Amino acid sequence: MSRREYEVWRDAHTWDPARETDLVVQADLAPAAWLEPLLVPGSFEVRMTAPQGFDAYARIFFPFVGADAGPDGADGADGADGQEFITWRELARRNGRIAHALMEQETIAAGPDGGDAGETCCGSLTAAQFGALLPILTRHTSSSEGWFLLWDGFGDLNERVFSDAGPKVRHPTRSFYLLRGPLGAYDAFPDQPSYWWPDDRAWCVCTDVDFEWAYLAGAAACIDDVLAVAAIDAFATRPENPARSGMDVINDPDAIVPRSG
Protein backbone atom coordinates (compact mmCIF):
# COMPACT_ATOMS: atom_id res chain seq x y z
CA MET A 1 0.00 0.00 0.00
CA SER A 2 1.42 3.35 -1.04
CA ARG A 3 1.49 6.32 1.31
CA ARG A 4 -1.31 7.94 -0.68
CA GLU A 5 -3.41 4.78 -0.49
CA TYR A 6 -2.78 4.57 3.24
CA GLU A 7 -3.84 8.18 3.74
CA VAL A 8 -7.07 7.56 1.81
CA TRP A 9 -7.74 4.43 3.88
CA ARG A 10 -6.95 6.22 7.13
CA ASP A 11 -9.19 9.14 6.20
CA ALA A 12 -12.08 6.78 5.49
CA HIS A 13 -11.68 4.78 8.71
CA THR A 14 -11.24 7.55 11.27
CA TRP A 15 -13.84 9.88 12.72
CA ASP A 16 -14.73 13.01 10.79
CA PRO A 17 -17.63 14.78 12.52
CA ALA A 18 -18.54 16.67 9.34
CA ARG A 19 -19.13 13.38 7.56
CA GLU A 20 -21.30 11.75 10.20
CA THR A 21 -22.78 14.39 12.54
CA ASP A 22 -23.86 18.01 12.93
CA LEU A 23 -20.83 18.68 15.12
CA VAL A 24 -18.31 21.30 14.01
CA VAL A 25 -14.71 21.56 15.23
CA GLN A 26 -14.05 25.10 16.49
CA ALA A 27 -11.06 27.33 15.80
CA ASP A 28 -12.18 30.01 18.29
CA LEU A 29 -11.63 28.59 21.77
CA ALA A 30 -13.11 31.54 23.68
CA PRO A 31 -16.40 29.73 24.50
CA ALA A 32 -14.42 27.27 26.63
CA ALA A 33 -12.39 29.87 28.53
CA TRP A 34 -14.88 30.04 31.43
CA LEU A 35 -14.14 26.51 32.53
CA GLU A 36 -10.51 26.34 33.63
CA PRO A 37 -10.63 29.15 36.26
CA LEU A 38 -13.36 27.20 38.08
CA LEU A 39 -11.28 24.02 38.37
CA VAL A 40 -8.78 23.18 41.12
CA PRO A 41 -5.88 21.27 39.53
CA GLY A 42 -4.04 18.78 41.71
CA SER A 43 -6.72 18.71 44.41
CA PHE A 44 -7.93 15.16 43.58
CA GLU A 45 -11.37 16.37 44.54
CA VAL A 46 -14.55 16.67 42.51
CA ARG A 47 -13.61 20.27 41.68
CA MET A 48 -10.46 19.06 39.96
CA THR A 49 -12.79 17.91 37.16
CA ALA A 50 -16.15 19.63 37.74
CA PRO A 51 -16.29 23.45 37.76
CA GLN A 52 -17.08 25.20 41.03
CA GLY A 53 -19.88 27.73 41.38
CA PHE A 54 -22.95 25.64 40.56
CA ASP A 55 -25.78 25.09 43.03
CA ALA A 56 -25.56 21.30 43.15
CA TYR A 57 -23.59 18.30 41.87
CA ALA A 58 -24.16 14.63 41.11
CA ARG A 59 -21.87 11.70 40.42
CA ILE A 60 -23.27 9.50 37.63
CA PHE A 61 -21.89 5.95 37.59
CA PHE A 62 -21.17 4.12 34.34
CA PRO A 63 -22.50 0.58 34.83
CA PHE A 64 -20.64 -2.69 35.00
CA VAL A 65 -20.86 -5.11 32.10
CA GLY A 66 -22.31 -8.43 33.23
CA ALA A 67 -22.83 -11.76 31.54
CA ASP A 68 -25.15 -12.04 28.56
CA ALA A 69 -28.71 -11.73 29.74
CA GLY A 70 -29.98 -14.45 27.40
CA PRO A 71 -33.00 -14.45 25.08
CA ASP A 72 -35.48 -13.58 27.79
CA GLY A 73 -33.45 -10.65 29.07
CA ALA A 74 -32.49 -9.98 32.66
CA ASP A 75 -32.85 -7.36 35.33
CA GLY A 76 -30.68 -4.42 34.33
CA ALA A 77 -30.17 -5.52 30.71
CA ASP A 78 -30.25 -2.54 28.37
CA GLY A 79 -27.63 -3.25 25.76
CA ALA A 80 -27.55 -4.85 22.34
CA ASP A 81 -27.90 -8.64 22.05
CA GLY A 82 -29.13 -8.97 25.63
CA GLN A 83 -25.97 -7.56 27.20
CA GLU A 84 -26.55 -6.99 30.88
CA PHE A 85 -25.48 -3.70 32.44
CA ILE A 86 -25.31 -3.80 36.23
CA THR A 87 -25.63 -0.53 38.13
CA TRP A 88 -23.21 0.25 40.92
CA ARG A 89 -26.12 0.19 43.38
CA GLU A 90 -27.10 -3.28 42.25
CA LEU A 91 -23.54 -4.64 42.33
CA ALA A 92 -23.07 -3.23 45.82
CA ARG A 93 -26.31 -4.91 46.91
CA ARG A 94 -25.27 -8.26 45.42
CA ASN A 95 -21.95 -8.14 47.25
CA GLY A 96 -23.25 -6.85 50.56
CA ARG A 97 -21.67 -3.43 50.13
CA ILE A 98 -23.06 0.07 50.77
CA ALA A 99 -23.81 2.23 47.74
CA HIS A 100 -22.85 5.87 48.34
CA ALA A 101 -21.37 8.89 46.56
CA LEU A 102 -17.72 7.98 47.21
CA MET A 103 -17.83 4.28 46.38
CA GLU A 104 -15.11 2.79 44.18
CA GLN A 105 -15.49 0.00 41.70
CA GLU A 106 -12.96 -2.19 43.52
CA THR A 107 -14.70 -1.89 46.89
CA ILE A 108 -18.18 -2.76 45.66
CA ALA A 109 -17.01 -5.47 43.23
CA ALA A 110 -15.30 -7.37 46.02
CA GLY A 111 -17.37 -10.36 47.12
CA PRO A 112 -17.80 -11.64 50.69
CA ASP A 113 -14.37 -13.30 50.56
CA GLY A 114 -12.73 -10.12 49.28
CA GLY A 115 -12.31 -11.50 45.78
CA ASP A 116 -13.36 -9.75 42.60
CA ALA A 117 -16.26 -11.31 40.67
CA GLY A 118 -14.71 -10.07 37.43
CA GLU A 119 -17.19 -7.40 36.33
CA THR A 120 -15.73 -4.41 34.51
CA CYS A 121 -17.20 -0.98 33.86
CA CYS A 122 -18.36 -0.11 30.37
CA GLY A 123 -16.52 3.24 30.56
CA SER A 124 -19.28 5.54 29.34
CA LEU A 125 -22.95 6.35 29.63
CA THR A 126 -25.12 3.58 28.24
CA ALA A 127 -27.89 4.27 25.75
CA ALA A 128 -30.44 3.86 28.55
CA GLN A 129 -28.63 6.33 30.80
CA PHE A 130 -28.25 8.87 28.02
CA GLY A 131 -31.87 8.42 27.00
CA ALA A 132 -32.97 9.19 30.56
CA LEU A 133 -30.51 12.03 31.12
CA LEU A 134 -30.91 14.07 27.93
CA PRO A 135 -34.60 15.04 28.44
CA ILE A 136 -33.81 16.23 31.96
CA LEU A 137 -30.86 18.32 30.84
CA THR A 138 -32.85 19.72 27.92
CA ARG A 139 -35.60 20.87 30.30
CA HIS A 140 -33.05 22.66 32.45
CA THR A 141 -31.57 24.89 29.77
CA SER A 142 -32.87 27.52 27.38
CA SER A 143 -30.36 26.39 24.75
CA SER A 144 -30.68 23.77 22.02
CA GLU A 145 -27.01 23.91 21.06
CA GLY A 146 -23.97 23.16 23.17
CA TRP A 147 -20.22 22.76 23.44
CA PHE A 148 -18.06 19.67 23.79
CA LEU A 149 -14.42 19.16 24.80
CA LEU A 150 -12.93 16.00 23.30
CA TRP A 151 -9.59 14.70 24.58
CA ASP A 152 -6.90 14.94 21.91
CA GLY A 153 -5.40 11.58 22.89
CA PHE A 154 -8.04 9.39 21.25
CA GLY A 155 -6.55 7.38 18.39
CA ASP A 156 -9.59 7.22 16.12
CA LEU A 157 -9.76 10.92 15.23
CA ASN A 158 -9.32 11.97 11.61
CA GLU A 159 -5.91 13.61 11.24
CA ARG A 160 -7.12 15.79 8.39
CA VAL A 161 -9.72 17.32 10.71
CA PHE A 162 -8.02 17.04 14.09
CA SER A 163 -4.57 18.26 13.19
CA ASP A 164 -1.83 18.56 15.81
CA ALA A 165 -1.32 22.07 14.49
CA GLY A 166 -4.94 22.96 15.19
CA PRO A 167 -6.15 24.95 18.21
CA LYS A 168 -6.69 23.10 21.47
CA VAL A 169 -8.08 23.93 24.87
CA ARG A 170 -5.22 23.20 27.25
CA HIS A 171 -5.76 22.32 30.89
CA PRO A 172 -2.98 21.25 33.29
CA THR A 173 -3.47 17.51 32.71
CA ARG A 174 -5.30 17.28 29.36
CA SER A 175 -5.67 19.01 26.01
CA PHE A 176 -8.98 19.05 24.17
CA TYR A 177 -10.58 19.88 20.85
CA LEU A 178 -13.63 22.15 21.08
CA LEU A 179 -16.71 21.19 19.10
CA ARG A 180 -20.17 22.71 18.82
CA GLY A 181 -23.46 21.07 17.90
CA PRO A 182 -26.94 20.06 19.07
CA LEU A 183 -27.18 18.97 22.68
CA GLY A 184 -28.22 15.48 21.59
CA ALA A 185 -24.98 15.06 19.63
CA TYR A 186 -23.22 13.92 22.80
CA ASP A 187 -23.83 10.30 21.86
CA ALA A 188 -22.60 10.84 18.28
CA PHE A 189 -18.97 10.90 19.42
CA PRO A 190 -16.96 7.68 18.98
CA ASP A 191 -15.34 8.43 22.34
CA GLN A 192 -17.03 10.19 25.22
CA PRO A 193 -16.35 13.95 25.47
CA SER A 194 -14.79 15.11 28.71
CA TYR A 195 -17.00 18.21 28.96
CA TRP A 196 -20.47 19.04 27.65
CA TRP A 197 -22.46 22.19 28.38
CA PRO A 198 -25.24 24.28 26.74
CA ASP A 199 -24.87 27.84 25.48
CA ASP A 200 -26.35 29.27 28.68
CA ARG A 201 -24.04 27.14 30.90
CA ALA A 202 -27.01 26.00 32.95
CA TRP A 203 -25.21 22.71 33.61
CA CYS A 204 -22.00 20.93 32.76
CA VAL A 205 -21.34 17.20 32.38
CA CYS A 206 -17.72 16.32 33.17
CA THR A 207 -15.72 13.11 33.02
CA ASP A 208 -12.20 11.88 32.29
CA VAL A 209 -10.65 8.94 30.44
CA ASP A 210 -9.47 7.62 33.83
CA PHE A 211 -12.96 7.76 35.39
CA GLU A 212 -15.75 5.19 35.38
CA TRP A 213 -18.26 7.93 36.14
CA ALA A 214 -19.22 11.47 35.23
CA TYR A 215 -19.98 14.53 37.32
CA LEU A 216 -22.94 16.78 36.63
CA ALA A 217 -22.92 20.37 37.87
CA GLY A 218 -26.15 22.33 37.65
CA ALA A 219 -29.10 23.92 39.37
CA ALA A 220 -30.52 22.14 42.41
CA ALA A 221 -33.75 21.33 40.55
CA CYS A 222 -31.79 19.75 37.70
CA ILE A 223 -29.74 17.60 40.04
CA ASP A 224 -32.87 16.58 41.97
CA ASP A 225 -34.50 15.42 38.75
CA VAL A 226 -31.43 13.36 37.82
CA LEU A 227 -31.21 11.76 41.26
CA ALA A 228 -34.87 10.75 41.05
CA VAL A 229 -34.31 8.52 37.98
CA ALA A 230 -33.02 5.11 39.02
CA ALA A 231 -31.78 4.25 35.52
CA ILE A 232 -29.23 7.07 35.66
CA ASP A 233 -27.65 5.67 38.87
CA ALA A 234 -26.46 8.93 40.42
CA PHE A 235 -25.64 10.20 43.90
CA ALA A 236 -25.41 13.78 45.14
CA THR A 237 -21.87 14.98 45.75
CA ARG A 238 -19.99 18.21 46.49
CA PRO A 239 -17.03 20.00 44.86
CA GLU A 240 -14.83 19.40 47.92
CA ASN A 241 -15.48 15.66 48.04
CA PRO A 242 -12.46 13.44 47.24
CA ALA A 243 -12.08 11.92 43.78
CA ARG A 244 -9.15 9.57 44.21
CA SER A 245 -8.17 6.01 44.95
CA GLY A 246 -8.91 5.08 48.57
CA MET A 247 -11.84 7.45 49.05
CA ASP A 248 -14.35 4.70 49.92
CA VAL A 249 -13.73 4.37 53.63
CA ILE A 250 -17.27 3.11 54.21
CA ASN A 251 -16.81 -0.16 52.34
CA ASP A 252 -13.09 -0.42 53.03
CA PRO A 253 -12.41 1.23 56.42
CA ASP A 254 -9.12 -0.64 56.89
CA ALA A 255 -7.82 0.08 53.36
CA ILE A 256 -7.28 -3.59 52.53
CA VAL A 257 -9.02 -3.75 49.12
CA PRO A 258 -6.43 -3.45 46.30
CA ARG A 259 -7.00 -0.55 43.91
CA SER A 260 -5.97 -0.53 40.28
CA GLY A 261 -4.48 2.93 40.43
Side-chain angles (χ1 to χ4, degrees):
M1 180 183 292
S2 68
R3 179 176 179 82
R4 175 58 181 164
E5 289 173 329
Y6 169 72
E7 290 175 349
V8 171
W9 178 89
R10 182 188 61 193
D11 189 68
H13 290 83
T14 51
W15 187 61
D16 177 356
R19 184 170 58 220
E20 304 172 10
T21 74
D22 294 324
L23 292 158
V24 178
V25 181
Q26 302 294 301
D28 180 5
L29 305 182
W34 70 277
L35 188 59
E36 188 174 8
L38 300 180
L39 303 177
V40 183
S43 65
F44 297 98
E45 296 171 337
V46 172
R47 55 190 170 187
M48 182 173 174
T49 304
Q52 301 179 101
F54 286 82
D55 292 339
Y57 295 79
R59 186 181 176 200
I60 301 172
F61 295 89
F62 306 149
F64 290 84
V65 180
D68 287 346
D72 297 327
D75 184 30
D78 62 357
D81 301 322
Q83 182 72 64
E84 183 190 21
F85 292 126
I86 307 168
T87 66
W88 287 49
R89 291 174 194 259
E90 172 60 16
L91 190 63
R93 186 196 66 78
R94 293 182 186 183
N95 291 330
R97 300 294 186 256
I98 298 172
H100 64 106
L102 300 183
M103 58 184 163
E104 299 174 76
Q105 58 178 326
E106 295 91 348
T107 58
I108 65 166
D113 61 354
D116 189 336
E119 291 91 351
T120 58
C121 279
C122 66
S124 62
L125 292 172
T126 64
Q129 283 182 303
F130 181 74
L133 181 63
L134 181 60
I136 296 173
L137 297 183
T138 301
R139 289 199 305 270
H140 288 278
T141 177
S142 60
S143 308
S144 61
E145 299 276 313
W147 303 88
F148 308 84
L149 290 185
L150 183 66
W151 181 46
D152 68 348
F154 290 121
D156 52 1
L157 305 182
N158 190 295
E159 290 186 18
R160 176 177 50 79
V161 178
F162 298 93
S163 170
D164 288 343
K168 297 179 184 179
V169 175
R170 301 187 184 277
H171 289 179
T173 58
R174 305 279 187 215
S175 294
F176 307 95
Y177 296 108
L178 177 64
L179 296 92
R180 176 170 169 77
L183 292 180
Y186 181 88
D187 68 345
F189 286 84
D191 303 288
Q192 190 160 245
S194 292
Y195 290 92
W196 170 35
W197 69 92
D199 285 335
D200 61 5
R201 302 181 199 164
W203 44 261
C204 186
V205 175
C206 326
T207 188
D208 186 83
V209 292
D210 289 336
F211 288 172
E212 304 293 353
W213 62 86
Y215 293 115
L216 171 62
C222 177
I223 300 303
D224 286 345
D225 285 351
V226 168
L227 297 177
V229 179
I232 298 176
D233 198 28
F235 278 84
T237 190
R238 300 189 302 271
E240 65 272 18
N241 274 349
R244 53 174 171 74
S245 179
M247 63 184 171
D248 186 358
V249 297
I250 292 178
N251 289 305
D252 185 28
D254 299 319
I256 61 174
V257 175
R259 280 19 176 227
S260 59

